[in-house]
Amino acid sequence: MGNQEIPEDANEHCPGPESESAGKADSCAGCPNQGICATAPKGPDPDLVGIAERMATVKHKILVLSGKGGVGKSTFSAQLAFALAGMDHQVGLLDIDICGPSIPKMLGLEGQDIHQSNLGWSPVYVESNLGVMSIGFMLPNPDEAVIWRGPRKNGIIKQFLKDVHWGELDYLVVDAPPGTSDEHISIVQFLQATGIDGAIIVTTPQEVSLIDVRKEVSFCKKVGIHVLGVVENMSGLQQSLADVKFMKLSEKGEETDMTEWALKYMKENAPEMLSLVTCTEVFDSSKGGAAKMCREMEVPFLGKVPMDPQLGKAAEEGRSCFTDQQCRTSSTALRRIIEKLLEDPTMSVSVMEDGA
């Protein structure tokens, strides 16, 4: 084993052989490598030099975080990447959710393989200006569970940063797993020398999600990451009235589909109703939702994205929600959020810079 490599059989919260506490920390107790780590010479991780060289051609790096799973973080990451690429930027999307890599599906890239060249691993491209990297491309079977301890996860994240030939990028979007665990500490540590422009935190309106988001904001402040803003996803259900299914319930609870009758009735008697959008509160936002939390924690609120069945369908089918008129409510909200995000002075890409 080289001095800086974290062995696969290391304990879960291994501080790393290069750490001053290597072999002496509480988490080192019982590790088979404890003696070696305690006596090994310490020094900077040579891989960080390789990462810095790779990242030198990336202008902006954005982390997408969430306190909880299931809040739509990967959907947001995918649509953010689609939107930036649609603005003619060079975009990379890096999926570091090792145990639940959903980005390949959401970009329509399931079953694709990673190719190697003399420059390193090549990302899988959706378009010529949108490249994607995920462990999902490396699994022989998409149903296979990735049961890895922290050190092995950290190793693959390091490889994604050091060995992937991204080329010239305007934006690298990093889709992280929920929480504040090994993967988050690693990505911050590995990118520290080259700088992270900031983090976008995705939540849902209810307090049970916001409790965890507060921890995420706290994590960013502790490790020195600028919070670009918070997005409130699934902020009420919105869908066109023409897409709503109408049911009649009998006293016995039996359901009768009345959709055809209802749409015909409206078309004949009130056709203007078919252009309306229905809005329903799904989650409890009575305590102020993400906007109130952002005021309290003094971080920007980027906006709300409604729960839109058409957006879910676009994610399942691996396509952009901006290219057709099906995702009207969600694509409009997402576009406003992305425009607001790009107003942040740290995020701008000038025409001169873009063509340099």
Side-chain angles (χ1 to χ4, degrees):
M1 145 183 127
N3 279 351
Q4 312 305 328
E5 290 298 319
I6 296 177
E8 287 186 14
D9 58 350
N11 285 356
E12 188 168 358
H13 298 290
C14 171
E18 75 281 1
S19 167
E20 288 300 321
S21 60
K24 304 166 191 169
D26 290 345
S27 58
C28 297
C31 178
N33 309 290
Q34 188 174 8
I36 301 169
C37 289
T39 55
K42 306 295 185 287
D45 184 346
D47 286 337
L48 296 184
V49 176
I51 290 171
E53 286 172 359
R54 283 287 190 197
M55 292 294 113
T57 59
V58 178
K59 294 178 185 126
H60 298 286
K61 295 173 279 293
I62 309 165
L63 300 184
V64 182
L65 309 173
S66 71
K68 290 180 75 66
V71 298
K73 171 187 51 60
S74 294
T75 300
F76 179 82
S77 298
Q79 297 304 325
L80 173 61
F82 275 130
L84 293 171
M87 296 172 186
D88 292 328
H89 294 302
Q90 294 293 324
V91 183
L93 177 54
L94 173 58
D95 181 7
I96 63 163
D97 191 344
I98 307 302
C99 296
S102 49
I103 287 297
K105 183 170 183 65
M106 291 187 176
L107 274 292
L109 299 172
E110 277 186 304
Q112 297 285 337
D113 295 320
I114 294 169
H115 298 286
Q116 285 186 293
S117 69
N118 57 345
L119 296 170
W121 292 350
S122 295
V124 179
Y125 284 90
V126 183
E127 304 284 350
S128 60
N129 65 333
L130 176 52
V132 182
M133 182 56 70
S134 169
I135 195 173
F137 298 134
M138 300 176 172
L139 301 177
N141 176 357
D143 297 332
E144 193 172 306
V146 180
I147 308 170
W148 288 4
R149 286 187 179 274
R152 195 169 177 197
K153 289 182 190 175
N154 298 346
I156 194 73
I157 292 169
K158 186 183 277 189
Q159 276 190 282
F160 282 159
L161 296 173
K162 181 173 68 78
D163 297 337
V164 175
H165 177 59
W166 293 103
E168 297 276 342
L169 288 185
D170 295 315
Y171 297 98
L172 177 65
V173 178
V174 181
D175 182 42
T180 54
S181 55
D182 282 329
E183 294 93 321
H184 306 81
I185 297 163
S186 296
I187 198 80
V188 172
Q189 180 191 341
F190 298 154
L191 290 178
Q192 215 142 35
T194 61
I196 297 169
D197 290 81
I200 300 167
I201 303 172
V202 182
T203 183
T204 48
Q206 75 272 44
E207 194 65 21
V208 71
S209 180
L210 292 170
I211 287 167
D212 291 331
V213 171
R214 290 171 189 271
K215 294 171 187 160
E216 207 75 32
V217 172
S218 170
F219 167 80
C220 289
K221 288 180 177 177
K222 278 183 180 175
V223 298
I225 297 176
H226 171 52
V227 177
L228 292 162
V230 174
V231 173
E232 184 178 285
N233 198 20
M234 305 185 195
S235 184
L237 172 64
Q238 290 188 19
Q239 59 185 136
S240 168
L241 191 60
D243 293 333
V244 172
K245 192 173 182 180
F246 295 86
M247 306 296 294
K248 186 176 182 180
L249 292 176
S250 71
E251 289 181 6
K252 294 179 180 177
E254 294 166 343
E255 296 179 350
T256 307
D257 190 337
M258 303 295 289
T259 307
E260 194 177 329
W261 172 84
L263 292 177
K264 186 181 177 203
Y265 185 87
M266 280 187 280
K267 195 173 182 180
E268 291 172 355
N269 298 285
E272 63 277 11
M273 285 184 69
L274 293 174
S275 63
L276 297 178
V277 172
T278 66
C279 303
T280 310
E281 288 294 322
V282 178
F283 296 121
D284 178 19
S285 58
S286 61
K287 294 187 179 174
K292 180 170 179 279
M293 185 217 70
C294 287
R295 288 193 299 272
E296 290 170 357
M297 299 202 77
E298 299 180 334
V299 292
F301 178 57
L302 291 174
K304 301 180 178 185
V305 182
M307 188 182 284
D308 177 3
Q310 291 296 338
L311 176 59
K313 195 173 178 188
E316 286 283 307
E317 293 173 2
R319 56 184 170 83
S320 168
C321 73
F322 303 103
T323 53
D324 56 40
Q325 294 301 306
Q326 292 179 45
C327 307
R328 280 188 306 157
T329 56
S330 55
S331 64
T332 303
L334 282 163
R335 193 172 278 114
R336 278 198 303 265
I337 285 168
I338 292 161
E339 285 168 0
K340 192 171 180 181
L341 172 70
L342 296 181
E343 287 170 8
D344 189 301
T346 63
M347 294 298 298
S348 62
V349 174
S350 67
V351 176
M352 188 183 296
E353 184 185 0
D354 211 8

